[in-house]
Amino acid sequence: MNDDLKSYLPLSPATLHILLALAGDDLHGYAIMQQAARQSSGQYRLGPGTLYENLEKLINRGLVREAPRRSSTEDPRRRYYRLTSFGHRVLSADLERLKTVLKEASLHLSPTEASKPS
Amino acid sequence: MSRFLYRVLVGLHPSHFRRCFGDEMLCIFDESASCEVPGLFADGFTSLLRQWLLHSGVWKLGLGAVISSLLLSGWALSFTHAVTWSLERGLNWHEVLVGRQPPADEAGPLDMNLFSQEAAQAVALLARFRRMDKNHRRAGHRSKRPPSSARPTANPPVHG
């Protein structure tokens, strides 16, 4: 893992959900909120304040940038956001980290381990 | 009404955040279902606190105010303790500041009887000094007087 990526990890739950939502397509704020709720099966709900606070941070760090509007008929207040290539690398690095965590957790919490007498 | 309140809430955010994302926050509020409104308000309040306390530098003022109030309250507490301690021991402020312990037989902060006695003694002493000075001057004046022959009579003869 590159040293420049390490400083961004681990990602906070809000950041992870935003980057995950933007990994598929360019989205506007409300769609990111809905995607985050869908990814977590409704367990994690992102509010607009939290969303834009994190988006501002991600834009300043170069992980996300604003994308062009899709159609002129849409609400002019609505803006679209896109994951940058650097943001993609950071997200991939965090997913790798999470995979290692999951692997470690599955080793310790396997049914045979759980059934062992303490 | 709830939209107006949410607009006020968004308007209370720091200006840079409001300019960048205020309209979008209102857009999301307009698109949200009515059951989501309480959650939007809760998130708006949290965001407002975070923006002002963490991102706008106001936390420095808050920290300064907390440290100042702690220092002031500590000073006030120690001052109160010092006053109580000195009053309990009957010390005056000079003794408190210098730190001298009074002898066991020393009177309290101010004994009015003792004070009036000492004042009367001082007045009597002053009066005595004044009398002595008067007598001394009178005696000095007598010694400088000319002999009696040369002295003019008390009642000079009336000529004519």
Side-chain angles (χ1 to χ4, degrees):
Chain A
M1 193 185 298
N2 292 344
D3 283 342
D4 60 335
L5 297 181
K6 273 184 184 173
S7 60
Y8 293 90
L9 304 182
L11 296 175
S12 68
T15 311
L16 178 65
H17 281 293
I18 292 168
L19 294 183
L20 267 180
L22 292 175
D25 200 3
D26 298 350
L27 296 175
H28 53 79
Y30 190 54
I32 295 173
M33 284 170 58
Q34 286 175 326
Q35 274 287 91
R38 194 191 58 77
Q39 286 160 8
S40 61
S41 310
Q43 289 183 342
Y44 186 78
R45 292 204 170 269
L46 203 58
T50 314
L51 168 73
Y52 288 114
E53 184 191 334
N54 282 282
L55 266 181
E56 185 185 28
K57 209 168 16 179
L58 292 172
I59 290 169
N60 290 338
R61 288 178 170 185
L63 276 74
V64 171
R65 69 182 170 87
E66 204 177 327
R69 207 180 296 273
R70 284 186 174 175
S71 69
S72 57
T73 54
E74 273 188 315
D75 191 331
R77 296 175 298 177
R78 190 179 263 183
R79 286 192 292 173
Y80 281 82
Y81 298 94
R82 178 180 292 171
L83 194 66
T84 62
S85 57
F86 180 60
H88 207 281
R89 279 166 55 210
V90 171
L91 178 63
S92 304
D94 199 53
L95 291 177
E96 281 299 318
R97 184 190 67 83
L98 285 173
K99 272 182 199 167
T100 317
V101 172
L102 265 177
K103 196 175 166 186
E104 194 71 18
S106 59
L107 275 176
H108 287 290
L109 296 174
S110 62
T112 49
E113 283 284 323
S115 61
K116 269 186 187 174
S118 56
Chain B
M1 180 64 184
S2 62
R3 191 185 188 279
F4 172 74
L5 288 176
Y6 193 73
R7 193 174 179 173
V8 170
L9 191 61
V10 170
L12 289 173
H13 280 70
S15 58
H16 75 278
F17 186 83
R18 200 176 57 232
R19 276 199 304 272
C20 287
F21 304 111
D23 285 342
E24 282 183 89
M25 284 175 79
L26 278 173
C27 178
I28 289 176
F29 185 88
D30 293 339
E31 289 178 7
S32 302
S34 58
C35 62
E36 291 174 323
V37 168
L40 293 181
F41 272 100
D43 174 76
F45 274 114
T46 317
S47 163
L48 185 66
L49 283 177
R50 269 204 309 259
Q51 285 292 328
W52 278 113
L53 292 178
L54 301 177
H55 300 295
S56 64
V58 174
W59 65 271
K60 290 175 193 166
L61 285 176
L63 185 68
V66 168
I67 290 174
S68 311
S69 56
L70 279 175
L71 287 173
L72 273 175
S73 54
W75 180 82
L77 201 67
S78 50
F79 180 76
T80 314
H81 274 294
V83 169
T84 316
W85 182 82
S86 62
L87 286 175
E88 279 172 358
R89 284 159 182 78
L91 300 177
N92 62 33
W93 278 106
H94 179 261
E95 286 168 348
V96 171
L97 292 172
V98 171
R100 184 174 71 83
Q101 292 289 332
D105 58 341
E106 197 169 301
L110 183 60
D111 189 341
M112 287 308 290
N113 289 332
L114 189 67
F115 177 76
S116 53
Q117 280 173 17
E118 301 227 343
Q121 279 179 6
V123 169
L125 201 63
L126 271 174
R128 195 176 162 192
F129 275 131
R130 197 173 171 191
R131 269 202 308 275
M132 283 170 68
D133 184 52
K134 215 171 180 179
N135 291 339
H136 182 72
R137 277 188 192 176
R138 200 175 285 160
H141 187 67
R142 273 201 204 112
S143 65
K144 282 179 189 169
R145 279 202 297 195
S148 58
S149 57
R151 267 193 294 175
T153 51
N155 298 315
V158 180
H159 300 285

